[in-house]
Amino acid sequence: MSKINKVKAFFINPKTILAEIFLVVFIGQLLSPVITSFDSRWSIHTAVSIISEGNTNLDEYKSQIEEQKYYAIRIVDGHYYTMYPVGASTIAVPFVYAFDKTLSLTSTVIPSYRKYTKLEKANTAWWQLNPDNVISHFGYVEKLVASVVVALNAVFIFLIASLFLKRRYSLLIVFIFAFCTSAWSTAGRALWQHGPSMLMLSIALYLILLANKRPGLVQYVSLPLAFAYVIRPTNIISVVLLTIFILVQYRSCFLKYIAWSLPIALPFIYFNFNVWHSFLPPYYLPSSTMSYNYTPLTPVFYETLVGNLISPNRGLFVFTPIFLFCLYGTFLKIKNKQIIKLDYFLIAIVFFHWITISTIPMWGDQFGPRLFTDMIPYFIYFLLPIMEQISGSLSLKHFLNNGIPALQKASRLGLLSIFSLFIGASFFINLRGATDWNVYRWNAEPVSLQYDPGRIWDWHDLQFLRGLTPDLIEWQGGFSTLEGTSQNNWRWSSQQGTIIINNSSHRVKTFVFDATFATGYPELSNLNISGDLIDESLKISSAGYNFRKEIIIPPGKHIIEFTSDAVRVVAPNDPRCLIFSIKNFQMTEENKSVSTD
């Protein structure tokens, strides 16, 4: 065998392909710049605490917790804990340790990298973790671990697809999973619960499918399934329904299946009693979501139910249009009499998951249908019949030379064209979520979704398009995020604030600048507004100063600086420097209001 053939054989070897899939997906996820350490902000801290102190409390980070205003923190017996499940942090442990040791080794070999490391404490053995190394880069570490998890998940998606499809089509399925869904725009952006949750459900699904020919494997399904529940409580739906499926379909293996769940379930229960003094953590109890009052007895529940599927800024089928083909895939299974008992259970899981997440508001800081992310392995499974049809009947030789009627050829080409178009659309939308931070600014601007949830239905202001063209107004250094409602809102600034006004057209435009400036105290203070469009000096106080001025805006970018000598507002629980606020800011052109915030 020639060297070229040996190299080719190496790269197409099944084990090598799995490694290649992992590396390509891992690098693609890691190089995507957006990091969203929101609810997950304590996941790496918890993993570090597990390694360095053997517990999950965050007492050593009290100062950071105070800076974050105790966000997502519960205090039990005087100790600080993240309110979210510890499953994701547990998965992160080996990767956190590897990051620290790799960083330390790199800085030893390459001195210029020492600026990225922290000095180790005295009497620290070489093998012990240096917590400061990890915590100082915790956002990046989150993305690193999340990228590993999504890449591992992609490997199992390939293995699942390979049970039904040829290699090339299985690779296409991997691409759809890794770069056309929330696996890229959500699960790979930080160590949310969703990434590890998907991985466990993918492993469980793969084992169940293998058990069709090797029934003994089904006993091990309880391991990833039980851990999926440790990671995320909504996975109780998968646990219950797949357990019933195994009881019905593999009764002889059921006791072994239950036994294999115990190495996960018993430590979880022990941990809960030890930390939370209850069988389940507070986050797992219905009261954690029932406080929103999104129940079948309220109209908002039904709005959320529909919104999670088709709303322009949260809908599953809007942000991942390729999943519309899951409906057709299910139809093909029924039509071709290929639907199996497992399929009914998976459909039921997705349905009850949809019901469950619709008891939670859609206005969280997220990109698109985040709460559907856990179900992606099941959606991918129902895409497989589509790929089977494409791979079985759209081979060029078979398709063009085997006497298929012209109408049937056109129909199949149409299917392939639409399928390809939907893949492209899904890729573009999730690319935006993985690479442009502006799409997350959409959640708070022009007004927070919490105060104006109707924005979720605004087809004229799509989240995934935010940032493609310059906003008319960009709020920069000094200004905080917008607060209040769409009818009454304000934005605080420090001593100096900057806005940029963009006229992306090729013509001069005239706008009316309308706002109220105020400080926190009744004494008059100076506010200077300077720039090529406005140059004003105002006297402002807590009474408010109504400012209205017509401005002519030539094409291009224009910077306006605001400077005030007002006294800082005393706000003990607010770390911001609050000097003056700008209230109910508007810019209108030709009597037509323009979104500016």
Side-chain angles (χ1 to χ4, degrees), residues 149-170:
V149 169
V150 173
L152 287 172
N153 209 330
V155 170
F156 279 96
I157 291 295
F158 176 80
L159 293 173
I160 291 170
S162 296
L163 297 175
F164 304 91
L165 304 172
K166 296 177 181 178
R167 182 178 297 170
R168 70 183 70 173
Y169 298 103
S170 297

Side-chain angles (χ1 to χ4, degrees), residues 446-465:
V447 64
S448 172
L449 283 177
Q450 185 172 358
Y451 301 113
D452 188 9
R455 294 180 55 228
I456 289 169
W457 295 95
D458 188 354
W459 286 96
H460 300 289
D461 183 19
L462 296 175
Q463 182 180 17
F464 59 82
L465 294 183

Side-chain angles (χ1 to χ4, degrees), residues 1 4 14 28 32 41 151 154 164 180 185 205 296 299 320 326 336 339 440 481 502 571:
M1 183 182 293
I4 294 178
S32 302
R41 69 188 66 184
F164 304 91
C180 299
S185 57
L205 179 59
T320 319
C326 295
N336 298 329
I339 195 162
Y440 290 91
T481 57
N502 296 297

Side-chain angles (χ1 to χ4, degrees), residues 64-65 152 302 310 337 399 422 597:
Q64 295 182 37
I65 290 171
L152 287 172
Y302 297 98
I310 62 172
K337 297 182 179 179
F399 186 69
F422 278 35
D597 295 306

Side-chain angles (χ1 to χ4, degrees), residues 113 470 560:
Y113 273 70
I560 299 178

Side-chain angles (χ1 to χ4, degrees), residues 2-3 27 35 101 146 149 158 172 210 233 303 331 350 409 418 463 487 493-494 509 528 541 553 572:
S2 67
K3 288 185 177 180
I27 292 172
I35 299 176
K101 295 307 153 192
V149 169
F158 176 80
L172 178 57
L210 286 180
E303 178 187 349
F331 167 76
V350 173
K409 287 183 183 179
I418 296 173
Q463 182 180 17
Q487 291 76 33
S493 176
S494 59
K509 294 185 176 182
N528 296 315
S541 68
I553 309 176

Side-chain angles (χ1 to χ4, degrees), residues 155-463:
V155 170
F156 279 96
I157 291 295
F158 176 80
L159 293 173
I160 291 170
S162 296
L163 297 175
F164 304 91
L165 304 172
K166 296 177 181 178
R167 182 178 297 170
R168 70 183 70 173
Y169 298 103
S170 297
L171 290 173
L172 178 57
I173 285 292
V174 169
F175 173 77
I176 292 172
F177 164 78
F179 298 110
C180 299
T181 71
S182 296
W184 191 15
S185 57
T186 293
R189 300 307 89 226
L191 195 55
W192 298 84
Q193 302 162 45
H194 309 294
S197 169
M198 281 196 303
L199 177 59
M200 293 302 112
L201 295 182
S202 294
I203 296 172
L205 179 59
Y206 179 56
L207 290 173
I208 289 173
L209 293 171
L210 286 180
N212 189 44
K213 293 183 178 179
R214 299 166 60 188
L217 289 176
V218 81
Q219 63 184 300
Y220 305 112
V221 172
S222 58
L223 281 167
L225 207 53
F227 198 59
Y229 182 62
V230 174
I231 293 168
R232 187 156 177 81
T234 52
N235 287 327
I236 189 64
I237 300 169
S238 287
V239 171
V240 171
L241 290 180
L242 290 180
T243 297
I244 294 173
F245 166 77
I246 290 169
L247 175 63
V248 172
Q249 192 75 2
Y250 299 96
R251 192 179 299 270
S252 61
C253 298
F254 187 70
L255 290 180
K256 293 180 180 178
Y257 167 85
I258 295 297
W260 276 110
S261 71
L262 298 181
I264 303 294
L266 293 181
F268 180 59
I269 294 171
Y270 172 80
F271 170 82
N272 292 336
F273 277 110
N274 186 52
V275 171
W276 303 108
H277 307 304
S278 64
F279 188 74
L280 290 173
Y283 185 73
Y284 283 65
L285 302 178
S287 57
S288 66
T289 58
M290 293 306 290
S291 60
Y292 295 119
N293 198 32
Y294 279 41
T295 72
L297 299 178
T298 58
V300 71
F301 168 78
Y302 297 98
E303 178 187 349
T304 307
L305 200 66
V306 176
N308 278 322
L309 295 182
I310 62 172
S311 65
N313 291 301
R314 285 294 182 265
L316 173 71
F317 296 133
V318 174
F319 281 74
T320 319
I322 191 62
F323 282 163
L324 281 167
F325 276 89
C326 295
L327 304 176
Y328 184 55
T330 305
F331 167 76
L332 286 178
K333 275 181 164 282
I334 296 172
K335 177 185 175 183
N336 298 329
K337 297 182 179 179
Q338 294 176 339
I339 195 162
I340 58 176
K341 196 174 294 181
L342 173 64
D343 299 342
Y344 293 111
F345 282 89
L346 295 181
I347 292 170
I349 290 170
V350 173
F351 175 78
F352 286 114
H353 183 88
W354 174 42
I355 298 296
T356 301
I357 65 174
S358 296
T359 63
I360 302 170
M362 296 182 287
W363 41 251
D365 284 333
Q366 63 191 62
F367 179 75
R370 176 176 67 86
L371 298 180
F372 260 124
T373 303
D374 310 82
M375 297 291 99
I376 290 176
Y378 300 152
F379 289 127
I380 292 293
Y381 172 76
F382 285 105
L383 282 182
L384 298 181
I386 308 293
M387 295 305 300
E388 281 188 283
Q389 185 182 62
I390 292 173
S391 64
S393 62
L394 292 184
S395 155
L396 282 180
K397 289 183 179 179
H398 175 85
F399 186 69
L400 298 176
N401 300 329
N402 284 15
I404 298 175
L407 184 61
Q408 193 173 354
K409 287 183 183 179
S411 174
R412 291 175 179 174
L413 279 176
L415 171 65
L416 181 59
S417 299
I418 296 173
F419 191 74
S420 301
L421 180 65
F422 278 35
I423 290 176
S426 299
F427 173 78
F428 168 75
I429 291 169
N430 288 281
L431 169 71
R432 301 284 304 134
T435 61
D436 193 339
W437 183 254
N438 284 297
V439 300
Y440 290 91
R441 286 178 50 214
W442 180 93
N443 291 309
E445 300 177 1
V447 64
S448 172
L449 283 177
Q450 185 172 358
Y451 301 113
D452 188 9
R455 294 180 55 228
I456 289 169
W457 295 95
D458 188 354
W459 286 96
H460 300 289
D461 183 19
L462 296 175
Q463 182 180 17

